[in-house]
Amino acid sequence: LQQRRGFRLSAPAAIQVTVRDALNQALDEELERDERVFLLGEEVAQYDGAYKISRGLWKKYGDKRVIDTPISEMGFTGIAVGAAMVWLRPVCEFMTFNFSMQAIDQVINSAAKTCYMSAGSIAVPVVFRGPNGASAGVGAQHSQCFAAWYGHCPGLKVVSPWSSEDAKGLLKASIRDDNPVVMLENELLYGVPFEMSEQAQSKDFVVPIGKAKIERQGTHVTLVSHSRPVGHCLEAAAVLAKEGVECEVINLRTIRPMDVETVEASVVKTNHLVTVEGGWPQFGVGAEICARIMEGSAFNYLDAPAVRVTGADVPMPYAKILEDNCIPQVKDIIFAVKKTLNI
């Protein structure tokens, strides 16, 4: 009626939300929605989480829904997997995914394989979540990306958010999924604010697992990334646009199952491919993308070899200047794009 009378209605209200707050919202909404959901991990309850992701949830939901555990990843991960087998929906937090190595037998041999080995009669709806990849100044034992590790394993779904909408939507989708899901967050993104649409603020908002998102349209080269390097790709694309190079930036969002169709369609359009990740090069996510493109019909559209931008093939150094040189930077992406386009 207002539109008929000539009034211009305001656009849907978008707000700035940090990744930390988006994850907190997702947990709060899913704990409220389904009484089978509970959160467990080190310091998640009374301390509000090591990174304050679970802030306020223990006071709201109590000891049975938000559970502090001892420093024993194998123990509390086993509790989470066992609870999932009897149709609870645990969210198991690792203070860092480097510590998930203590519990990898529970994640791989118990969670990932049980549905298959039981001929589908036992589902394991558990979410393993926490910070993944390089942080800042924490050395080699706390700076690995596990996307390729867990993406290698059938039976798991693996998601890797970049923005606040990614974080909220993927966590909610993961909690509702009947399969074990590994959610690889990034510590350096927790405090970063992103615009969140009105739709994403809804309690019904989810991001479908297995669907990538085109963050920027382009015509000259396809950049495919996940997690924090998506932001680096967008920065590189903005710089290259000033030189007349239009990059299409794809936010993978899900590592397994991988949305190869979106990447293929982009490569058919741009005829060039660069993958960007923080993990090591050998057997990495970029290597898998390149293999999928080579094996599919999009290979016929490539005008140059695909190029990978990855972390350095060394354990992460502690010194900041060495650490910076081990992690893909915007300049590295720009160099790779120009190499691919031969400019």
Side-chain angles (χ1 to χ4, degrees), residues 159-173:
V159 299
S160 182
W162 168 59
S163 67
S164 298
E165 287 197 7
D166 290 351
K168 180 179 180 180
L170 285 171
L171 181 52
K172 289 170 72 72

Side-chain angles (χ1 to χ4, degrees), residues 34 36-38 83-84 87-91 125-126 175-178:
D34 188 341
R36 296 173 297 172
V37 176
F38 69 97
W87 279 101
L88 296 176
R89 292 188 174 272
V91 179
V126 58
I175 292 171
R176 298 181 189 189
D177 201 286
D178 288 338

Side-chain angles (χ1 to χ4, degrees), residues 172-194:
K172 289 170 72 72
S174 300
I175 292 171
R176 298 181 189 189
D177 201 286
D178 288 338
N179 299 281
V181 181
V182 173
M183 182 160 173
L184 304 171
E185 301 154 14
N186 188 287
E187 177 186 341
L188 298 179
L189 287 175
Y190 283 153
V192 177
F194 290 87

Side-chain angles (χ1 to χ4, degrees), residues 204-221:
D204 298 322
F205 175 74
V206 295
V207 169
I209 294 175
K211 184 63 180 172
K213 180 184 179 184
I214 298 175
E215 298 287 351
R216 180 188 176 111
Q217 296 284 345
T219 54
H220 295 124
V221 60

Side-chain angles (χ1 to χ4, degrees), residues 51 73 94-104 129-135 138-146 149-150 184-185 187 280 316:
Y51 301 98
E73 282 76 15
F94 295 119
M95 195 175 291
T96 159
F97 257 94
N98 299 274
F99 300 159
S100 74
M101 292 291 93
Q102 300 292 325
I104 199 166
R129 55 153 297 270
N132 169 72
S135 179
V138 292
Q141 294 173 319
H142 297 77
S143 293
Q144 301 167 83
C145 176
F146 289 90
W149 293 61
Y150 287 117
L184 304 171
E185 301 154 14
E187 177 186 341
W280 294 314
M316 183 64 69

